[in-house]
Amino acid sequence: MTESAETPHRPDDRPQDRSRRRLGYGEGREALLKAAVRVVGARGLRHLTYRAVAEEAGVTHGLVVHHFGSRDALVEESLAYAVRLSLSSSLLEPGTGKPEDFVAGLTDMVEDDADGQAYQYELLLEARRRPELLPQVRALYDEYFGASRRELARILPGGASPALNRLVFAALDGLVLHQLTGIGDRADTEGALTELRSLLRTLGERPPEGRD
């Protein structure tokens, strides 16, 4: 169950088998977390098994058990990993205060990180069934809301109310989901983003309430 990552290879081992045994602890763990995200994003949470993750990562089945011990631990740690990746690559806060820069590259992100985005939606639904995952999911969305609120404060003279901020983010979240699932395509997303930025530009040109 805990096959060593450094087991000596036999002369008749295939190259991919030898590479699996030589993975170091940190390298193996990172590969497994990435693989878990890909497996869930592509095939759904019910297909997140030790063997599926090991095959996707190119490591031994025993290495998954060694690093995580249980499927629940793998789910929770891969969620934390996905959260870190999402926050590090968030497009919500370019920091320029220009509507045209807001979520620039969103359509590319959906295409380039389809499995990562799908993983998050899978875990949103799983958190409904497993409340212990909800704090991490909420933490992810709190970070999203915070980044969006800060950038809207740069764009809009009076800032954005919590309700407006949630409305804007919900629109973006929906666009990502639509493009990801094929309900909409890249052109649909870009068209909607153009309208959203136009709306923000109009709102940004208005003086704050109470001023001339």
Side-chain angles (χ1 to χ4, degrees), residues 76-162:
E76 293 177 9
E77 292 198 41
S78 61
L79 172 58
Y81 176 76
V83 167
R84 292 194 302 272
L85 286 184
S86 294
L87 296 179
S88 67
S89 61
S90 175
L91 306 173
L92 290 166
E93 193 177 7
T96 66
K98 298 178 181 179
E100 59 268 25
D101 294 336
F102 187 53
V103 292
L106 184 70
T107 51
D108 290 333
M109 180 200 71
V110 177
E111 292 179 353
D112 296 341
D113 186 34
D115 287 343
Q117 299 305 309
Y119 178 94
Q120 291 184 50
Y121 290 117
E122 287 278 349
L123 266 294
L124 278 173
L125 295 175
E126 184 66 11
R128 182 175 181 268
R129 296 182 287 266
R130 291 180 53 186
E132 66 270 21
L133 297 177
L134 195 55
Q136 290 189 73
V137 173
R138 281 180 170 165
L140 170 62
Y141 272 76
D142 284 345
E143 292 288 346
Y144 283 154
F145 290 143
S148 175
R149 183 181 64 251
R150 290 189 295 272
E151 192 61 25
L152 290 176
R154 298 182 181 100
I155 296 172
L156 307 177
S161 67

Side-chain angles (χ1 to χ4, degrees), residues 2 30 33 42 49 58 67 85 95 106 113 119 127 177 189 200-201:
T2 58
E30 180 81 2
L33 291 171
T49 65
H67 282 303
L85 286 184
L106 184 70
D113 186 34
Y119 178 94
L177 181 61
T189 304
L200 293 176
R201 189 175 296 107

Side-chain angles (χ1 to χ4, degrees), residues 24 37 43 48 66 69 75 82 87 94 98 108 134 164 177 179 187 197 201 206:
V37 171
R43 301 167 60 190
L48 185 64
H66 172 70
V75 170
L87 296 179
K98 298 178 181 179
D108 290 333
L134 195 55
L164 176 58
L177 181 61
Q179 184 179 338
R197 293 178 185 124
R201 189 175 296 107
R206 295 179 181 177

